[in-house]
């Protein structure tokens, strides 16, 4: 039996009938956290070993601990370089973009259970970029630039993380939005956008849309923005 007030402790009758004596190792105890030695910590418990969040697999650096995706398995890490990335990044990249329609290369790797790590450089976004559920798009800060040429990041799946990149360029039809979070087709949960800066022009930078008037009772839950900025657009954030 699990302690209802402390999910990392369990009742072990062989040891005590009046105290919580066991550890609920590896159990999810909070979003992005697992139980380890009786405490709730941010990380993964894989093959009976605890690894802190962001730790790489000691046997394979293409795997990383991302508890937002899985607290019990390694997450695949795919490095993608831009056409102007340095040779050091190109050397370790699984793909090198051409500078034209780079969203096609990036999107091909944003499959469930994967983190796409973008190198410093400029990536051209001229179409839709739609990550699957349980994915992360991670850059290197302002040195990783997504330059929009009428493109859009479409958030239409659960458990997504977008972080540490800068957005530039001009938005255009048919969806003049840089990051569009919408429950148009299904309920959405657990979306995290953080450390994203923008000076795109021509539309909304962050658009949150619960499409309840078309499909009643659609919900958006656990949508988080942190340390994000937008400098030039007509509307920085639009919730409807």
């Amino acid at each position: 039996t699990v302690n209802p007030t402390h999910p990392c402790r369990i009742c072990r009758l062989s040891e005590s009938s009046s105290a919580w004596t066991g550890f609920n190792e590896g159990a999810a105890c909070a979003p992005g956290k697992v139980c380890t030695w009786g405490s709730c910590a941010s990380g993964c418990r894989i093959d009976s070993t605890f690894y802190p969040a962001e730790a790489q697999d000691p046997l394979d650096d293409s795997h990383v601990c991302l508890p937002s995706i899985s607290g019990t398995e390694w997450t695949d890490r795919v490095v993608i370089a831009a056409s102007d990335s340095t040779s050091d990044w190109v050397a370790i990249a699984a793909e090198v973009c051409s500078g034209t329609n780079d969203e096609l290369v990036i999107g091909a790797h944003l499959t469930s259970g994967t983190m796409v790590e973008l190198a410093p450089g400029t990536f051209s976004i001229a179409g839709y970029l739609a990550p699957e559920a349980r994915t992360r798009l991670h850059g290197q800060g302002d040195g990783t630039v997504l330059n929009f040429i009428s493109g859009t990041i479409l958030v239409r799946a659960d458990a997504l993380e977008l972080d540490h990149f800068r957005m530039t360029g001009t938005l255009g039809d048919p969806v003049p939005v840089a990051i569009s979070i919408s429950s148009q087709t299904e309920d959405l949960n657990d979306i995290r956008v953080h450390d994203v800066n923008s000076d795109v022009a021509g539309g909304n930078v962050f658009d949150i849309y619960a499409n309840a008037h078309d499909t009643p009772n659609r919900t958006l839950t656990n949508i988080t923005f942190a340390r994000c900025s937008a400098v030039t657009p007509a509307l920085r954030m639009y919730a409807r």
Side-chain angles (χ1 to χ4, degrees):
T1 303
V2 177
N3 185 334
T5 62
H6 193 324
C8 293
R9 302 304 298 268
I10 59 176
C11 171
R12 191 169 286 162
L13 288 176
S14 60
E15 297 177 4
S16 174
S17 60
S18 59
W20 302 98
T21 56
F23 295 153
N24 195 17
E25 292 297 277
C29 50
K33 295 185 176 182
V34 296
C35 295
T36 180
W37 293 103
S39 298
C40 189
S42 178
C44 308
R45 191 161 184 87
I46 302 170
D47 296 332
S48 301
T49 300
F50 176 78
Y51 298 91
E54 310 287 342
Q56 291 185 352
D57 182 346
L59 302 178
D60 185 348
D61 63 7
S62 69
H63 296 154
V64 63
C65 163
L66 285 184
S68 60
I69 294 178
S70 175
T72 57
E73 296 178 330
W74 293 110
T75 295
D76 291 334
R77 169 180 174 257
V78 178
V79 176
I80 297 179
S83 60
D84 59 350
S85 294
T86 64
S87 58
D88 289 346
W89 280 97
V90 169
I92 65 171
E95 297 262 18
V96 179
C97 292
S98 67
T100 302
N101 291 108
D102 294 337
E103 76 281 354
L104 299 177
V105 176
I106 298 169
H109 292 281
L110 281 171
T111 56
S112 185
T114 302
M115 176 181 79
V116 169
E117 182 171 354
L118 299 179
T122 299
F123 298 85
S124 175
I125 308 298
Y128 292 138
L129 181 58
E132 293 184 5
R134 298 176 54 250
T135 55
R136 180 182 181 185
L137 181 62
H138 169 70
Q140 309 304 314
D142 280 352
T144 298
V145 178
L146 302 187
N147 187 53
F148 285 82
I149 307 170
S150 76
T152 300
I153 299 176
L154 294 176
V155 176
R156 302 291 188 270
D158 288 339
L160 300 183
E161 187 171 1
L162 309 172
D163 65 284
H164 289 91
F165 54 83
R166 182 164 62 96
M167 301 185 295
T168 63
T170 301
L171 302 172
D173 293 333
V175 183
V177 177
I179 297 177
S180 171
I181 301 173
S182 173
S183 57
Q184 188 171 6
T185 57
E186 59 183 298
D187 297 341
L188 288 185
N189 179 59
D190 196 18
I191 309 298
R192 295 167 304 285
V193 182
H194 61 91
D195 301 285
V196 174
N197 299 318
S198 171
D199 56 8
V200 296
N204 304 330
V205 175
F206 308 116
D207 186 284
I208 305 173
Y209 180 28
N211 197 28
H213 67 279
D214 290 339
T215 307
N217 302 317
R218 291 292 187 205
T219 62
L220 291 166
T221 55
N222 297 328
I223 311 298
T224 303
F225 287 84
R227 299 177 300 281
C228 296
S229 69
V231 178
T232 60
L235 287 172
R236 291 176 173 85
M237 180 175 287
Y238 183 43
R240 51 190 171 134

